[in-house]
Amino acid sequence: MKIAILGGTGPQGQGLALRFARAGVDVALGSRERARSEEIAASLNGKLDGHPGRGSIDGYANDEAVREAHEIVMLAVPYAGHGATLDSIRKDLHGKILVDLVVPLAQNDPKLYSPPPEGSATEAAQALLGDSTRVVGALHNVSAHTLNHLEQRINCDVLVCGNDSLAAQTVMDLIGKLDVSAYYAGPASSARCIEAITPILIRLNISKKVPFSHAGIRIWAPDASV
């Protein structure tokens, strides 16, 4: 299996590349500048030396990375580049699954959610790409800091949404390789709630009244003993 991660040179993209490669998944790291992507890929591969069964991380330009992916393409760019990046690769996404990780935060205040007219970044991506690409929203609430520290277990569950439930299940199976639980939270419109959790976590994580940072969310089952 080979996946693509666009925006792979940013903190979240790098962390995901490390985690998936360590789990044995090959990663095509995409960036607007191929040279930069190749440089980052070499650095990430160095961090995985000695991990048995690891996948490879290779650097590409965004469009090349999409073509390298067998089925799944992850989008981890800043929201300011969301639409332009999708528009530049839309023809190469035909028939594939786009996993949209992007959260539209307010430009001058990352503690505020600022959704597009479609309601969420996930819905905006589906509207732009049309039905030929199955869009799944996922991994919005995972700390980039945690992802990049491989000695730490990912401290959250993952909420997944999308209009195609089979595509969502495919993404959930992939996420399961990271030793986390993923839950299907409904159609793409559910992304309005899921994406909006991120600025709440940011607010908590920078609060002086909270004795921790890099928090995540968990879905807890009822305790039968209570």
Side-chain angles (χ1 to χ4, degrees):
M1 173 188 290
K2 191 170 191 176
I3 66 171
I5 301 177
L6 310 187
T9 58
Q12 189 177 31
Q14 289 187 46
L16 286 170
L18 283 171
R19 294 281 179 167
F20 280 117
R22 189 178 68 167
V25 178
D26 293 328
V27 178
L29 206 66
S31 174
R32 289 178 299 175
E33 299 179 7
R34 178 176 179 140
R36 173 64 174 160
S37 186
E38 290 175 335
E39 177 186 352
I40 294 294
S43 173
L44 296 178
N45 281 317
K47 294 179 180 181
L48 292 172
D49 285 345
H51 287 276
R54 50 155 292 191
S56 64
I57 304 174
D58 299 296
Y60 300 91
N62 280 333
D63 58 339
E64 296 170 329
V66 174
R67 292 193 291 271
E68 284 287 321
H70 294 162
E71 183 178 24
I72 294 176
V73 177
M74 296 189 166
L75 184 65
V77 301
Y79 181 63
H82 183 258
T85 302
L86 288 175
D87 196 50
S88 70
I89 60 171
R90 61 192 303 174
K91 68 180 187 302
D92 297 311
L93 283 170
H94 181 81
K96 296 188 175 181
I97 299 172
L98 176 79
V99 183
D100 200 322
L101 288 70
V102 178
V103 176
L105 301 174
Q107 186 173 3
N108 297 315
D109 189 349
K111 302 186 299 299
L112 296 177
Y113 185 55
S114 182
E118 292 85 357
S120 66
T122 301
E123 291 170 282
Q126 189 68 79
L128 175 63
L129 298 173
D131 294 337
S132 65
T133 300
R134 294 163 291 169
V135 176
V136 174
L139 295 161
H140 301 99
N141 314 134
V142 184
S143 164
H145 178 275
T146 300
L147 288 172
N148 279 279
H149 288 74
L150 294 178
E151 73 280 4
Q152 298 178 13
R153 189 174 186 275
I154 296 174
N155 61 330
C156 66
D157 296 330
V158 176
L159 298 176
V160 177
C161 64
N163 295 335
D164 188 317
S165 60
L166 293 179
Q169 184 61 57
T170 298
V171 173
M172 291 165 63
D173 291 342
L174 174 66
I175 292 171
K177 293 180 180 293
L178 303 183
D179 194 27
V180 297
S181 297
Y183 297 92
Y184 181 58
S189 58
S190 296
R192 303 177 188 189
C193 299
I194 300 169
E195 293 174 9
I197 294 172
T198 296
I200 296 173
L201 290 173
I202 292 172
R203 184 179 294 274
L204 288 172
N205 288 333
I206 65 176
S207 172
K208 294 181 180 179
K209 296 181 179 180
V210 179
F212 52 78
S213 60
H214 314 300
I217 61 168
R218 285 276 175 87
I219 307 300
W220 288 98
D223 188 342
S225 65
V226 176

